[in-house]
């Protein structure tokens, strides 16, 4: 709607007011004309206002229906949001059709394909929904991966080059590649920070950080998020634990990781 574009300067002001972070852009942001799909990682309450502020130009947001604080609700409504109940097939179908319509009218769209917060310390990306990839295939619009990493009041951001999909590309393979691309972007950001020895890593510190993020948004139903996160990523967590065990015991890993991911991880879809 034209009203959202008119109110976009107000949306930017609200977003900056909400997040209050300092943004550090580590790679050039690609600029595409005629509508773009931005796929971003999701780890805390600040992701949406940070992304809206970061992208600058007006971009609709795909968001799950949930309880919201007033300022967040206001920001979503002024910006323009496609609401979806991911557990409801009709809601998913309606949201998909609306996103497709927006893209065909050359609007931009922001999607968090993990579908929930990633609060796992050893997994850069959760398994992703591939609805955004399907949108890119059917509309011919470019898809741009972007990741955000938080360190206190600083946010480190990296983009990858635009991806152009063909209509007949394999969705599962495309989702695998997109997840790998986004995970690599996040690993690259982690390399900006001092490396720690395994013996110096205190998992209690991550637990404190996780609790801090949850307390920042008490309206989040974390019991649901936790269940979805654990069961969706359990095979990957097993892979990580096996890899760490083998590495610590100086054992050759072979193809354990590839085997478990291919055999057990089920990629999620809007379909």
């Amino acid at each position: 709607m034209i009203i959202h574009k008119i109110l976009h300067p107000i949306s930017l002001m609200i977003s900056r007011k909400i997040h209050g972070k300092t943004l550090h852009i580590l790679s050039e942001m690609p600029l595409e004309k005629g509508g773009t799909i931005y796929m971003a990682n999701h780890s805390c309450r600040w992701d949406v206002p940070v992304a809206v502020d970061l992208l600058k130009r007006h971009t609709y947001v795909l968001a799950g229906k949930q309880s919201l604080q007033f300022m967040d609700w206001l920001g979503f409504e002024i910006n323009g949001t496609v609401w979806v109940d991911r557990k409801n097939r009709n809601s998913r179908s309606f949201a998909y059709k609306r996103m497709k319509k927006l893209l065909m009218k050359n609007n931009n769209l922001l999607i968090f394909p993990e579908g929930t917060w990633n609060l796992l310390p050893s997994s850069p990306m959760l398994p992703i929904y591939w609805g955004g990839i399907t949108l890119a295939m059917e509309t011919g619009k470019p898809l741009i991966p972007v990741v955000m990493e938080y360190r206190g009041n600083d946010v480190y951001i990296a983009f990858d080059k635009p991806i152009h999909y063909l209509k007949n590309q394999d969705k599962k393979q495309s989702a695998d590649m997109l997840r790998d691309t986004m995970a690599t972007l996040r690993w690259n950001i982690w390399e900006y920070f001092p490396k720690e020895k395994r013996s110096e890593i205190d998992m209690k510190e991550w637990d404190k950080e996780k609790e801090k993020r949850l307390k920042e948004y008490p309206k989040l139903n974390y019991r649901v998020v936790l269940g979805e996160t654990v069961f969706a990523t359990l095979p990957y967590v097993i892979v990580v634990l096996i890899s760490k065990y083998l590495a610590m015991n100086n054992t050759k890993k072979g193809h354990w990781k590839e085997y478990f991911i291919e055999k057990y991880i089920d990629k999620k879809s809007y379909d």
Side-chain angles (χ1 to χ4, degrees), residues 78-91:
I78 291 178
N79 178 79
T81 301
V82 178
W83 298 104
V84 61
D85 179 355
R86 291 190 175 89
K87 296 181 180 180
N88 185 295
R89 187 177 184 86
N90 291 333
S91 178

Side-chain angles (χ1 to χ4, degrees), residues 88-103:
N88 185 295
R89 187 177 184 86
N90 291 333
S91 178
R92 294 198 307 269
S93 177
F94 179 81
Y96 183 88
K97 291 176 182 177
R98 187 175 176 216
M99 289 189 291
K100 187 175 181 179
K101 185 176 180 179
L102 288 170
L103 287 168

Side-chain angles (χ1 to χ4, degrees), residues 87 115-117 220-231:
K87 296 181 180 180
T116 188
W117 292 6
L220 178 73
N221 187 351
Y222 186 59
R223 287 178 298 176
V224 174
V225 173
L226 178 62
E228 292 177 349
T229 299
V230 169
F231 288 109

Side-chain angles (χ1 to χ4, degrees), residues 27-33 35-39 57 136 140-146 159-165 169 178 181 185:
S27 59
E28 185 177 355
M29 179 171 63
L31 293 177
E32 294 283 317
K33 295 181 179 180
T36 301
I37 303 169
Y38 295 96
M39 296 285 249
R57 59 181 182 170
K141 302 298 183 182
L143 184 153
I144 297 179
V146 54
F159 291 88
D160 202 59
K161 62 182 181 296
I163 304 173
H164 296 268
Y165 293 102
Q169 281 187 240
L178 177 61
T181 294
L185 283 175

